Amino acid sequence: QVQLVESGGGLVQAGGSLRLSCAASGRTFSSFVMGWFRQAPGKEREFVAAISRNGASTYYATSVKGRFTISRDNAKNTVYLQMDSLKPEDTAVYYCAARTGQTIVVRGYDYWGQGTQVTVSS
């Protein structure tokens, strides 16, 4: 089992940047595929980005590709989401998630953090 805690959310102006962090504890961090999801008010949760166990492969939703970067530091048991060129439509609660499988997918994640609010003003 793994516990996930997100941090780094906040309020930024459109065009600004934020870096989210997700600290993991429990089982060996490097054994998990890690992902980021988000949920805006009144909308379903949607996939944002994922990264393979060793960080060699990444995958992004079309809406954030080129603006967001997912990375991980297995020595620190932490995954990051660097968000640049933020838009008001990026406003949502962002969740960190872990998957016990070794392949990158947009669903099937087993563990979830509590979420961190990201608000982008225009």
Side-chain angles (χ1 to χ4, degrees), residues 45-114:
R45 183 178 61 196
E46 65 174 342
F47 171 81
V48 175
I51 188 167
S52 62
R53 294 182 298 176
N54 63 2
S57 299
T58 58
Y59 182 71
Y60 299 91
T62 301
S63 59
V64 306
K65 191 173 184 178
R67 300 188 298 120
F68 291 10
T69 303
I70 187 171
S71 62
R72 67 191 298 162
D73 186 339
N74 287 346
K76 296 182 178 180
N77 289 355
T78 303
V79 63
Y80 305 95
L81 185 67
Q82 177 67 43
M83 304 184 294
D84 298 318
S85 301
L86 283 162
K87 305 175 181 180
E89 51 263 45
D90 294 318
T91 296
V93 176
Y94 283 70
Y95 297 92
C96 177
R99 181 176 182 269
T100 57
Q102 69 176 28
T103 57
I104 296 177
V105 295
V106 299
R107 60 176 60 88
Y109 286 78
D110 303 296
Y111 304 101
W112 298 84
Q114 293 295 312

